[in-house]
Amino acid sequence: MLLAEVAQATQRLADAGVPSPRNDAEELAAFVHGVKRGELHTVRDADFDARYWEVIARREQREPLQHITGRAYFRYLELHVGPGVFVPRPETESVVGWAIDAVRAMDVVEPLIVDLCSGSGAIALALAQEVPRSRVHAVELSEDALQWTRKNMAGSRVDLRQGDALTAFPDLDGQVDLVISNPPYIPLTEWEYVAPEARDYDPELALFSGEDGLDLIRGLERTAHRLLRPGGVVVIEHADTQGGQVPWIFTEERGWADAADHPDLNNRPRFATARKALP
């Protein structure tokens, strides 16, 4: 019974233009019935819960899967998410993976890490979890987003502050080993092309940044330079269409070396890195 319902739901979601209809149909079935996706076959016909069609109807309207379930998965984390906070994307996992490798290669006993524009806290929490002796600091401006950040970071050792990423952590100037950020980077001119799940549900503050999408990244370049120690590294996510542009913000004239772009798991340009030049 349930597997037949999932097949029907998959078709409905596909017809509605949902990018991953089978995945979402199964995730929602598991959510409603209180089982894992791999256990759907164990749900008896008599136990089918008609609320399944209610959540499928919400997903048909392109409400994000993570808003319906209230959870998002990121690397080894399960995070609380909902209205007011940016839902972490799989593409960002490769950004964090690169950052973890970079920190480990530094051979610093207790690396100092700053996450700018923290949102749900996914990046900061992943780094704290996977780099056990790191000292991780995070900043988020939006009070709406911070309700979720605080919930996710409860009991963690991340130092979370509310504030503007451009002026954050003056007490850490010149000491930080790694600055990382997934800032807003969508050009305002691209609004109509953004997927409904993001455009209609993610906070605008987390999506858009000026005519070319690079306004905040230009500001974060100065913030990163202020925070980093010589030889420290910055990692900034960007849109796959901005691959040729972002490394050029981190120029030698501005005190950077080794500026480069990197692909995500789909081999699309996804994040730029640079090293603060030695004096």
mmCIF file of all heavy atoms in Angstrom, residues 102-151:
data_model
loop_
_atom_site.group_PDB
_atom_site.id
_atom_site.type_symbol
_atom_site.label_atom_id
_atom_site.label_comp_id
_atom_site.label_asym_id
_atom_site.label_seq_id
_atom_site.Cartn_x
_atom_site.Cartn_y
_atom_site.Cartn_z
ATOM 1 N N ALA A 102 42.124 22.001 4.703
ATOM 2 C CA ALA A 102 43.064 23.121 4.792
ATOM 3 C C ALA A 102 43.511 23.356 6.235
ATOM 4 O O ALA A 102 44.691 23.592 6.512
ATOM 5 C CB ALA A 102 42.427 24.388 4.226
ATOM 6 N N VAL A 103 42.571 23.262 7.161
ATOM 7 C CA VAL A 103 42.906 23.478 8.576
ATOM 8 C C VAL A 103 43.825 22.362 9.079
ATOM 9 O O VAL A 103 44.809 22.618 9.780
ATOM 10 C CB VAL A 103 41.616 23.552 9.424
ATOM 11 C CG1 VAL A 103 41.946 23.524 10.908
ATOM 12 C CG2 VAL A 103 40.847 24.815 9.099
ATOM 13 N N ARG A 104 43.517 21.130 8.716
ATOM 14 C CA ARG A 104 44.361 20.013 9.141
ATOM 15 C C ARG A 104 45.777 20.140 8.589
ATOM 16 O O ARG A 104 46.757 19.802 9.264
ATOM 17 C CB ARG A 104 43.724 18.692 8.704
ATOM 18 C CG ARG A 104 42.480 18.325 9.516
ATOM 19 C CD ARG A 104 41.826 17.067 8.999
ATOM 20 N NE ARG A 104 40.665 16.705 9.806
ATOM 21 C CZ ARG A 104 39.690 15.900 9.377
ATOM 22 N NH1 ARG A 104 39.738 15.376 8.157
ATOM 23 N NH2 ARG A 104 38.674 15.609 10.171
ATOM 24 N N ALA A 105 45.889 20.656 7.365
ATOM 25 C CA ALA A 105 47.211 20.805 6.744
ATOM 26 C C ALA A 105 48.050 21.891 7.415
ATOM 27 O O ALA A 105 49.267 21.920 7.280
ATOM 28 C CB ALA A 105 47.058 21.116 5.259
ATOM 29 N N MET A 106 47.380 22.798 8.136
ATOM 30 C CA MET A 106 48.107 23.879 8.809
ATOM 31 C C MET A 106 48.939 23.365 9.975
ATOM 32 O O MET A 106 49.883 24.022 10.403
ATOM 33 C CB MET A 106 47.120 24.932 9.337
ATOM 34 C CG MET A 106 46.490 25.783 8.268
ATOM 35 S SD MET A 106 45.236 26.861 9.004
ATOM 36 C CE MET A 106 44.532 27.588 7.514
ATOM 37 N N ASP A 107 48.561 22.236 10.528
ATOM 38 C CA ASP A 107 49.292 21.664 11.661
ATOM 39 C C ASP A 107 49.301 22.627 12.853
ATOM 40 O O ASP A 107 50.306 22.792 13.538
ATOM 41 C CB ASP A 107 50.725 21.288 11.247
ATOM 42 C CG ASP A 107 51.326 20.218 12.151
ATOM 43 O OD1 ASP A 107 50.539 19.460 12.744
ATOM 44 O OD2 ASP A 107 52.553 20.156 12.275
ATOM 45 N N VAL A 108 48.152 23.288 13.069
ATOM 46 C CA VAL A 108 47.968 24.163 14.237
ATOM 47 C C VAL A 108 47.237 23.355 15.304
ATOM 48 O O VAL A 108 46.263 22.673 15.002
ATOM 49 C CB VAL A 108 47.139 25.412 13.850
ATOM 50 C CG1 VAL A 108 46.853 26.279 15.066
ATOM 51 C CG2 VAL A 108 47.859 26.208 12.771
ATOM 52 N N VAL A 109 47.702 23.426 16.544
ATOM 53 C CA VAL A 109 47.127 22.572 17.591
ATOM 54 C C VAL A 109 45.659 22.896 17.851
ATOM 55 O O VAL A 109 44.814 22.003 17.901
ATOM 56 C CB VAL A 109 47.937 22.706 18.904
ATOM 57 C CG1 VAL A 109 47.307 21.865 20.007
ATOM 58 C CG2 VAL A 109 49.377 22.276 18.677
ATOM 59 N N GLU A 110 45.348 24.177 18.018
ATOM 60 C CA GLU A 110 43.965 24.590 18.276
ATOM 61 C C GLU A 110 43.572 25.677 17.278
ATOM 62 O O GLU A 110 43.574 26.870 17.598
ATOM 63 C CB GLU A 110 43.810 25.091 19.718
ATOM 64 C CG GLU A 110 44.032 24.007 20.758
ATOM 65 C CD GLU A 110 43.806 24.526 22.174
ATOM 66 O OE1 GLU A 110 43.786 25.771 22.364
ATOM 67 O OE2 GLU A 110 43.658 23.691 23.079
ATOM 68 N N PRO A 111 43.254 25.283 16.062
ATOM 69 C CA PRO A 111 42.985 26.290 15.018
ATOM 70 C C PRO A 111 41.802 27.189 15.366
ATOM 71 O O PRO A 111 40.796 26.736 15.911
ATOM 72 C CB PRO A 111 42.697 25.443 13.778
ATOM 73 C CG PRO A 111 42.394 24.080 14.277
ATOM 74 C CD PRO A 111 43.117 23.918 15.561
ATOM 75 N N LEU A 112 41.976 28.465 15.048
ATOM 76 C CA LEU A 112 40.951 29.473 15.293
ATOM 77 C C LEU A 112 40.186 29.704 13.986
ATOM 78 O O LEU A 112 40.786 30.053 12.965
ATOM 79 C CB LEU A 112 41.619 30.766 15.776
ATOM 80 C CG LEU A 112 40.724 31.922 16.211
ATOM 81 C CD1 LEU A 112 39.782 31.511 17.322
ATOM 82 C CD2 LEU A 112 41.588 33.105 16.656
ATOM 83 N N ILE A 113 38.865 29.495 14.031
ATOM 84 C CA ILE A 113 38.032 29.515 12.829
ATOM 85 C C ILE A 113 36.881 30.491 13.031
ATOM 86 O O ILE A 113 36.259 30.524 14.096
ATOM 87 C CB ILE A 113 37.475 28.102 12.536
ATOM 88 C CG1 ILE A 113 38.621 27.122 12.243
ATOM 89 C CG2 ILE A 113 36.476 28.134 11.378
ATOM 90 C CD1 ILE A 113 38.187 25.667 12.168
ATOM 91 N N VAL A 114 36.571 31.269 11.993
ATOM 92 C CA VAL A 114 35.437 32.191 12.034
ATOM 93 C C VAL A 114 34.504 31.893 10.857
ATOM 94 O O VAL A 114 34.938 31.817 9.708
ATOM 95 C CB VAL A 114 35.902 33.663 11.978
ATOM 96 C CG1 VAL A 114 34.723 34.593 11.694
ATOM 97 C CG2 VAL A 114 36.571 34.053 13.288
ATOM 98 N N ASP A 115 33.213 31.741 11.166
ATOM 99 C CA ASP A 115 32.163 31.532 10.161
ATOM 100 C C ASP A 115 31.323 32.799 10.081
ATOM 101 O O ASP A 115 30.662 33.171 11.059
ATOM 102 C CB ASP A 115 31.307 30.321 10.568
ATOM 103 C CG ASP A 115 30.078 30.132 9.690
ATOM 104 O OD1 ASP A 115 30.127 30.527 8.510
ATOM 105 O OD2 ASP A 115 29.066 29.587 10.189
ATOM 106 N N LEU A 116 31.360 33.470 8.942
ATOM 107 C CA LEU A 116 30.616 34.712 8.735
ATOM 108 C C LEU A 116 29.297 34.415 8.013
ATOM 109 O O LEU A 116 29.280 33.625 7.079
ATOM 110 C CB LEU A 116 31.458 35.693 7.916
ATOM 111 C CG LEU A 116 32.831 36.060 8.518
ATOM 112 C CD1 LEU A 116 33.640 36.884 7.507
ATOM 113 C CD2 LEU A 116 32.673 36.829 9.825
ATOM 114 N N CYS A 117 28.205 35.043 8.439
ATOM 115 C CA CYS A 117 26.866 34.790 7.875
ATOM 116 C C CYS A 117 26.457 33.341 8.166
ATOM 117 O O CYS A 117 26.197 32.557 7.264
ATOM 118 C CB CYS A 117 26.817 35.052 6.379
ATOM 119 S SG CYS A 117 27.520 36.621 5.849
ATOM 120 N N SER A 118 26.359 33.006 9.446
ATOM 121 C CA SER A 118 26.269 31.605 9.859
ATOM 122 C C SER A 118 24.951 30.926 9.527
ATOM 123 O O SER A 118 24.899 29.712 9.346
ATOM 124 C CB SER A 118 26.541 31.487 11.369
ATOM 125 O OG SER A 118 26.779 30.148 11.723
ATOM 126 N N GLY A 119 23.851 31.685 9.492
ATOM 127 C CA GLY A 119 22.563 31.059 9.150
ATOM 128 C C GLY A 119 22.172 29.982 10.145
ATOM 129 O O GLY A 119 22.120 30.211 11.354
ATOM 130 N N SER A 120 21.927 28.778 9.654
ATOM 131 C CA SER A 120 21.513 27.670 10.519
ATOM 132 C C SER A 120 22.629 27.209 11.441
ATOM 133 O O SER A 120 22.394 26.447 12.384
ATOM 134 C CB SER A 120 21.063 26.485 9.664
ATOM 135 O OG SER A 120 22.168 25.947 8.949
ATOM 136 N N GLY A 121 23.860 27.632 11.151
ATOM 137 C CA GLY A 121 25.013 27.179 11.923
ATOM 138 C C GLY A 121 25.673 25.947 11.347
ATOM 139 O O GLY A 121 26.612 25.398 11.940
ATOM 140 N N ALA A 122 25.228 25.509 10.170
ATOM 141 C CA ALA A 122 25.718 24.255 9.581
ATOM 142 C C ALA A 122 27.240 24.231 9.446
ATOM 143 O O ALA A 122 27.896 23.260 9.845
ATOM 144 C CB ALA A 122 25.064 24.046 8.210
ATOM 145 N N ILE A 123 27.808 25.305 8.887
ATOM 146 C CA ILE A 123 29.251 25.325 8.628
ATOM 147 C C ILE A 123 30.031 25.306 9.940
ATOM 148 O O ILE A 123 30.943 24.494 10.127
ATOM 149 C CB ILE A 123 29.626 26.557 7.777
ATOM 150 C CG1 ILE A 123 29.087 26.396 6.353
ATOM 151 C CG2 ILE A 123 31.132 26.767 7.765
ATOM 152 C CD1 ILE A 123 29.298 27.617 5.476
ATOM 153 N N ALA A 124 29.666 26.185 10.861
ATOM 154 C CA ALA A 124 30.395 26.278 12.130
ATOM 155 C C ALA A 124 30.311 24.973 12.913
ATOM 156 O O ALA A 124 31.314 24.498 13.468
ATOM 157 C CB ALA A 124 29.835 27.433 12.958
ATOM 158 N N LEU A 125 29.133 24.374 12.959
ATOM 159 C CA LEU A 125 28.951 23.133 13.712
ATOM 160 C C LEU A 125 29.711 21.972 13.081
ATOM 161 O O LEU A 125 30.293 21.141 13.783
ATOM 162 C CB LEU A 125 27.460 22.804 13.826
ATOM 163 C CG LEU A 125 26.682 23.701 14.797
ATOM 164 C CD1 LEU A 125 25.187 23.537 14.585
ATOM 165 C CD2 LEU A 125 27.059 23.379 16.243
ATOM 166 N N ALA A 126 29.719 21.922 11.749
ATOM 167 C CA ALA A 126 30.457 20.852 11.063
ATOM 168 C C ALA A 126 31.957 20.967 11.346
ATOM 169 O O ALA A 126 32.629 19.970 11.615
ATOM 170 C CB ALA A 126 30.192 20.898 9.560
ATOM 171 N N LEU A 127 32.472 22.193 11.315
ATOM 172 C CA LEU A 127 33.898 22.394 11.586
ATOM 173 C C LEU A 127 34.232 22.056 13.038
ATOM 174 O O LEU A 127 35.247 21.426 13.330
ATOM 175 C CB LEU A 127 34.290 23.831 11.264
ATOM 176 C CG LEU A 127 34.402 24.139 9.764
ATOM 177 C CD1 LEU A 127 34.306 25.624 9.505
ATOM 178 C CD2 LEU A 127 35.714 23.587 9.205
ATOM 179 N N ALA A 128 33.360 22.454 13.962
ATOM 180 C CA ALA A 128 33.598 22.139 15.371
ATOM 181 C C ALA A 128 33.579 20.633 15.607
ATOM 182 O O ALA A 128 34.370 20.099 16.394
ATOM 183 C CB ALA A 128 32.544 22.827 16.239
ATOM 184 N N GLN A 129 32.693 19.953 14.897
ATOM 185 C CA GLN A 129 32.576 18.502 15.068
ATOM 186 C C GLN A 129 33.752 17.755 14.443
ATOM 187 O O GLN A 129 34.275 16.799 15.023
ATOM 188 C CB GLN A 129 31.261 18.028 14.438
ATOM 189 C CG GLN A 129 31.005 16.527 14.572
ATOM 190 C CD GLN A 129 29.748 16.108 13.821
ATOM 191 O OE1 GLN A 129 29.669 16.212 12.605
ATOM 192 N NE2 GLN A 129 28.751 15.661 14.567
ATOM 193 N N GLU A 130 34.174 18.198 13.256
ATOM 194 C CA GLU A 130 35.149 17.424 12.494
ATOM 195 C C GLU A 130 36.599 17.872 12.699
ATOM 196 O O GLU A 130 37.521 17.187 12.267
ATOM 197 C CB GLU A 130 34.783 17.455 11.008
ATOM 198 C CG GLU A 130 33.435 16.769 10.741
ATOM 199 C CD GLU A 130 33.072 16.764 9.277
ATOM 200 O OE1 GLU A 130 33.869 16.238 8.481
ATOM 201 O OE2 GLU A 130 32.000 17.311 8.923
ATOM 202 N N VAL A 131 36.772 19.028 13.334
ATOM 203 C CA VAL A 131 38.124 19.457 13.720
ATOM 204 C C VAL A 131 38.080 19.612 15.243
ATOM 205 O O VAL A 131 37.856 20.701 15.770
ATOM 206 C CB VAL A 131 38.527 20.782 13.036
ATOM 207 C CG1 VAL A 131 39.983 21.130 13.334
ATOM 208 C CG2 VAL A 131 38.301 20.711 11.529
ATOM 209 N N PRO A 132 38.286 18.504 15.973
ATOM 210 C CA PRO A 132 37.928 18.431 17.394
ATOM 211 C C PRO A 132 38.539 19.499 18.297
ATOM 212 O O PRO A 132 37.901 19.943 19.238
ATOM 213 C CB PRO A 132 38.403 17.031 17.807
ATOM 214 C CG PRO A 132 38.407 16.245 16.537
ATOM 215 C CD PRO A 132 38.785 17.216 15.470
ATOM 216 N N ARG A 133 39.755 19.960 18.017
ATOM 217 C CA ARG A 133 40.383 20.933 18.917
ATOM 218 C C ARG A 133 40.279 22.366 18.401
ATOM 219 O O ARG A 133 40.946 23.274 18.899
ATOM 220 C CB ARG A 133 41.854 20.554 19.170
ATOM 221 C CG ARG A 133 41.998 19.189 19.845
ATOM 222 C CD ARG A 133 43.401 18.920 20.312
ATOM 223 N NE ARG A 133 43.816 19.838 21.378
ATOM 224 C CZ ARG A 133 45.001 19.778 21.982
ATOM 225 N NH1 ARG A 133 45.876 18.856 21.625
ATOM 226 N NH2 ARG A 133 45.314 20.636 22.933
ATOM 227 N N SER A 134 39.432 22.567 17.416
ATOM 228 C CA SER A 134 39.281 23.908 16.857
ATOM 229 C C SER A 134 38.507 24.808 17.825
ATOM 230 O O SER A 134 37.712 24.347 18.636
ATOM 231 C CB SER A 134 38.548 23.838 15.516
ATOM 232 O OG SER A 134 37.283 23.216 15.694
ATOM 233 N N ARG A 135 38.761 26.103 17.699
ATOM 234 C CA ARG A 135 37.997 27.122 18.428
ATOM 235 C C ARG A 135 37.178 27.859 17.367
ATOM 236 O O ARG A 135 37.734 28.601 16.565
ATOM 237 C CB ARG A 135 38.943 28.067 19.164
ATOM 238 C CG ARG A 135 39.750 27.379 20.285
ATOM 239 C CD ARG A 135 40.892 28.253 20.761
ATOM 240 N NE ARG A 135 41.912 28.427 19.730
ATOM 241 C CZ ARG A 135 42.725 29.468 19.647
ATOM 242 N NH1 ARG A 135 42.615 30.474 20.500
ATOM 243 N NH2 ARG A 135 43.637 29.533 18.697
ATOM 244 N N VAL A 136 35.867 27.631 17.360
ATOM 245 C CA VAL A 136 35.015 28.111 16.273
ATOM 246 C C VAL A 136 34.131 29.256 16.764
ATOM 247 O O VAL A 136 33.470 29.157 17.805
ATOM 248 C CB VAL A 136 34.144 26.969 15.711
ATOM 249 C CG1 VAL A 136 33.300 27.469 14.532
ATOM 250 C CG2 VAL A 136 35.025 25.794 15.270
ATOM 251 N N HIS A 137 34.125 30.334 15.987
ATOM 252 C CA HIS A 137 33.288 31.498 16.274
ATOM 253 C C HIS A 137 32.368 31.730 15.065
ATOM 254 O O HIS A 137 32.789 31.558 13.924
ATOM 255 C CB HIS A 137 34.147 32.743 16.505
ATOM 256 C CG HIS A 137 35.143 32.571 17.621
ATOM 257 N ND1 HIS A 137 34.909 33.013 18.897
ATOM 258 C CD2 HIS A 137 36.379 31.993 17.632
ATOM 259 C CE1 HIS A 137 35.958 32.717 19.653
ATOM 260 N NE2 HIS A 137 36.863 32.107 18.911
ATOM 261 N N ALA A 138 31.142 32.151 15.341
ATOM 262 C CA ALA A 138 30.177 32.366 14.255
ATOM 263 C C ALA A 138 29.384 33.636 14.507
ATOM 264 O O ALA A 138 29.110 33.993 15.660
ATOM 265 C CB ALA A 138 29.226 31.168 14.152
ATOM 266 N N VAL A 139 29.001 34.312 13.415
ATOM 267 C CA VAL A 139 28.198 35.528 13.535
ATOM 268 C C VAL A 139 27.029 35.466 12.561
ATOM 269 O O VAL A 139 27.158 34.973 11.439
ATOM 270 C CB VAL A 139 29.052 36.797 13.284
ATOM 271 C CG1 VAL A 139 29.556 36.868 11.850
ATOM 272 C CG2 VAL A 139 28.269 38.061 13.635
ATOM 273 N N GLU A 140 25.877 35.942 13.017
ATOM 274 C CA GLU A 140 24.674 36.017 12.185
ATOM 275 C C GLU A 140 23.952 37.313 12.527
ATOM 276 O O GLU A 140 23.850 37.688 13.704
ATOM 277 C CB GLU A 140 23.771 34.800 12.439
ATOM 278 C CG GLU A 140 22.404 34.846 11.770
ATOM 279 C CD GLU A 140 22.471 35.062 10.264
ATOM 280 O OE1 GLU A 140 23.241 34.370 9.589
ATOM 281 O OE2 GLU A 140 21.753 35.953 9.769
ATOM 282 N N LEU A 141 23.458 37.990 11.515
ATOM 283 C CA LEU A 141 22.812 39.293 11.701
ATOM 284 C C LEU A 141 21.318 39.175 12.012
ATOM 285 O O LEU A 141 20.795 39.872 12.873
ATOM 286 C CB LEU A 141 23.016 40.141 10.442
ATOM 287 C CG LEU A 141 22.403 41.539 10.430
ATOM 288 C CD1 LEU A 141 23.034 42.410 11.516
ATOM 289 C CD2 LEU A 141 22.603 42.184 9.059
ATOM 290 N N SER A 142 20.632 38.279 11.321
ATOM 291 C CA SER A 142 19.172 38.220 11.376
ATOM 292 C C SER A 142 18.659 37.585 12.671
ATOM 293 O O SER A 142 19.029 36.467 13.017
ATOM 294 C CB SER A 142 18.651 37.410 10.183
ATOM 295 O OG SER A 142 17.312 36.990 10.387
ATOM 296 N N GLU A 143 17.774 38.297 13.346
ATOM 297 C CA GLU A 143 17.164 37.753 14.568
ATOM 298 C C GLU A 143 16.312 36.519 14.248
ATOM 299 O O GLU A 143 16.284 35.556 15.020
ATOM 300 C CB GLU A 143 16.305 38.829 15.242
ATOM 301 C CG GLU A 143 15.768 38.415 16.608
ATOM 302 C CD GLU A 143 16.858 38.123 17.629
ATOM 303 O OE1 GLU A 143 17.714 38.978 17.866
ATOM 304 O OE2 GLU A 143 16.826 37.004 18.195
ATOM 305 N N ASP A 144 15.630 36.543 13.097
ATOM 306 C CA ASP A 144 14.818 35.385 12.704
ATOM 307 C C ASP A 144 15.684 34.146 12.512
ATOM 308 O O ASP A 144 15.339 33.045 12.958
ATOM 309 C CB ASP A 144 14.055 35.676 11.406
ATOM 310 C CG ASP A 144 12.955 36.707 11.592
ATOM 311 O OD1 ASP A 144 12.509 36.880 12.747
ATOM 312 O OD2 ASP A 144 12.552 37.338 10.606
ATOM 313 N N ALA A 145 16.809 34.335 11.824
ATOM 314 C CA ALA A 145 17.713 33.197 11.608
ATOM 315 C C ALA A 145 18.328 32.732 12.921
ATOM 316 O O ALA A 145 18.490 31.526 13.159
ATOM 317 C CB ALA A 145 18.809 33.586 10.626
ATOM 318 N N LEU A 146 18.650 33.688 13.799
ATOM 319 C CA LEU A 146 19.331 33.346 15.051
ATOM 320 C C LEU A 146 18.505 32.436 15.949
ATOM 321 O O LEU A 146 19.061 31.664 16.734
ATOM 322 C CB LEU A 146 19.695 34.627 15.810
ATOM 323 C CG LEU A 146 21.043 35.235 15.427
ATOM 324 C CD1 LEU A 146 21.140 36.656 15.947
ATOM 325 C CD2 LEU A 146 22.197 34.397 15.965
ATOM 326 N N GLN A 147 17.190 32.499 15.837
ATOM 327 C CA GLN A 147 16.360 31.578 16.624
ATOM 328 C C GLN A 147 16.719 30.132 16.280
ATOM 329 O O GLN A 147 16.751 29.259 17.153
ATOM 330 C CB GLN A 147 14.885 31.849 16.358
ATOM 331 C CG GLN A 147 14.419 33.211 16.840
ATOM 332 C CD GLN A 147 12.961 33.470 16.505
ATOM 333 O OE1 GLN A 147 12.157 32.546 16.411
ATOM 334 N NE2 GLN A 147 12.597 34.728 16.332
ATOM 335 N N TRP A 148 16.990 29.891 14.999
ATOM 336 C CA TRP A 148 17.361 28.543 14.560
ATOM 337 C C TRP A 148 18.822 28.244 14.882
ATOM 338 O O TRP A 148 19.162 27.133 15.287
ATOM 339 C CB TRP A 148 17.105 28.405 13.059
ATOM 340 C CG TRP A 148 15.665 28.565 12.698
ATOM 341 C CD1 TRP A 148 15.058 29.682 12.192
ATOM 342 C CD2 TRP A 148 14.628 27.593 12.834
ATOM 343 N NE1 TRP A 148 13.720 29.460 12.001
ATOM 344 C CE2 TRP A 148 13.423 28.183 12.375
ATOM 345 C CE3 TRP A 148 14.602 26.266 13.289
ATOM 346 C CZ2 TRP A 148 12.214 27.491 12.368
ATOM 347 C CZ3 TRP A 148 13.386 25.583 13.269
ATOM 348 C CH2 TRP A 148 12.222 26.197 12.823
ATOM 349 N N THR A 149 19.700 29.251 14.689
ATOM 350 C CA THR A 149 21.122 29.048 14.984
ATOM 351 C C THR A 149 21.309 28.658 16.447
ATOM 352 O O THR A 149 22.042 27.719 16.767
ATOM 353 C CB THR A 149 21.942 30.335 14.720
ATOM 354 O OG1 THR A 149 21.335 31.096 13.681
ATOM 355 C CG2 THR A 149 23.373 30.002 14.327
ATOM 356 N N ARG A 150 20.646 29.402 17.324
ATOM 357 C CA ARG A 150 20.780 29.124 18.761
ATOM 358 C C ARG A 150 20.277 27.726 19.098
ATOM 359 O O ARG A 150 20.876 27.019 19.917
ATOM 360 C CB ARG A 150 20.022 30.189 19.563
ATOM 361 C CG ARG A 150 20.651 31.581 19.476
ATOM 362 C CD ARG A 150 19.925 32.567 20.382
ATOM 363 N NE ARG A 150 20.513 33.908 20.280
ATOM 364 C CZ ARG A 150 19.872 34.973 19.808
ATOM 365 N NH1 ARG A 150 18.613 34.876 19.406
ATOM 366 N NH2 ARG A 150 20.473 36.144 19.744
ATOM 367 N N LYS A 151 19.183 27.357 18.476
ATOM 368 C CA LYS A 151 18.619 26.019 18.723
ATOM 369 C C LYS A 151 19.612 24.935 18.299
ATOM 370 O O LYS A 151 19.839 23.953 19.017
ATOM 371 C CB LYS A 151 17.302 25.880 17.943
ATOM 372 C CG LYS A 151 16.430 24.715 18.350
ATOM 373 C CD LYS A 151 15.077 24.813 17.641
ATOM 374 C CE LYS A 151 14.152 23.698 18.092
ATOM 375 N NZ LYS A 151 12.825 23.788 17.433
#
